[in-house]
Amino acid sequence: VHARSDDQDGTDGGGGAMAVTVTVNATGIGRMTAYLDGVGRRARDLTVPMKRAGIYMFGSIQRNFQVGGRPRMWRPLKAATLAAKLRHGWSATPLVRTGQLRRSITPRADRRRMTIGTTVPYARIHQFGGRTGRRHATTIPARPYLVFQRDDLQVIRQMILDYIKGM
């Protein structure tokens, strides 16, 4: 913004009204318009950051398996279950027998969302717990493995914002 008068001392010299001109120059409008067009275009199709978020969450869920649950540890196996697993040569880790459940975790992304999950038939009972077996005599405690940690949500939010801003 630039303001000037017709005379250096601020008067018109004749006692009349002082003439003032205010000029506003907007430089860089073309660059700003191009940037905002890019922001709008990226905000309409979030496939790229959603795919990145899916890859990130795949790693986070794998860590849930590695440490036995986050943020709360999974309930340990009952002694009889542990003994049976060891007798068959299986892993002593909860939710791991063959590794199929852990390997089946799959992220999917589109323009607006990312989902991550599995289609393994026994996945639901391990995530939420419940009764199973003959006459529903066996109770399996919930061992949530598809868990977004608080830090995960912050990282994903930042991924999306950085993408929209073109960073």
Side-chain angles (χ1 to χ4, degrees):
V1 175
H2 174 74
R4 71 174 176 82
S5 68
D6 287 341
D7 193 17
Q8 292 293 345
D9 68 0
T11 67
D12 66 357
M18 177 175 68
V20 176
T21 302
V22 176
T23 305
V24 177
N25 289 323
T27 59
I29 288 292
R31 286 190 312 265
M32 181 60 74
T33 301
Y35 172 76
L36 291 174
D37 286 345
V39 166
R41 186 177 54 257
R42 287 185 296 273
R44 284 188 296 278
D45 185 354
L46 299 173
T47 303
V48 170
M50 292 301 176
K51 284 182 178 181
R52 290 176 186 159
I55 292 166
Y56 175 84
M57 280 311 303
F58 176 82
S60 180
I61 290 167
Q62 295 304 309
R63 283 190 295 283
N64 294 344
F65 279 96
Q66 290 166 356
V67 301
R70 296 180 306 147
R72 292 180 24 212
M73 299 296 288
W74 297 327
R75 184 180 293 172
L77 297 172
K78 289 184 178 179
T81 303
L82 180 59
K85 285 183 80 170
L86 294 175
R87 195 170 44 251
H88 286 94
W90 297 330
S91 170
T93 305
L95 299 189
V96 178
R97 180 187 298 179
T98 65
Q100 180 182 359
L101 177 61
R102 185 177 57 220
R103 285 189 313 272
S104 73
I105 306 299
T106 307
R108 289 190 171 77
D110 64 26
R111 297 168 54 116
R112 288 277 162 232
R113 76 181 131 279
M114 183 276 296
T115 57
I116 191 161
T118 177
T119 58
V120 171
Y122 53 85
R124 182 179 186 81
I125 196 154
H126 288 299
Q127 175 77 14
F128 301 109
R131 298 173 82 58
T132 188
R134 286 193 188 130
R135 289 180 235 149
H136 298 283
T138 303
T139 300
I140 296 179
R143 293 187 176 101
Y145 53 92
L146 292 175
V147 178
F148 281 50
Q149 308 301 317
R150 181 171 290 149
D151 292 346
D152 295 337
L153 297 176
Q154 291 171 349
V155 168
I156 291 169
R157 186 177 298 119
Q158 194 61 52
M159 284 178 182
I160 294 168
L161 289 174
D162 287 349
Y163 175 78
I164 290 172
K165 290 191 256 179
M167 300 175 81

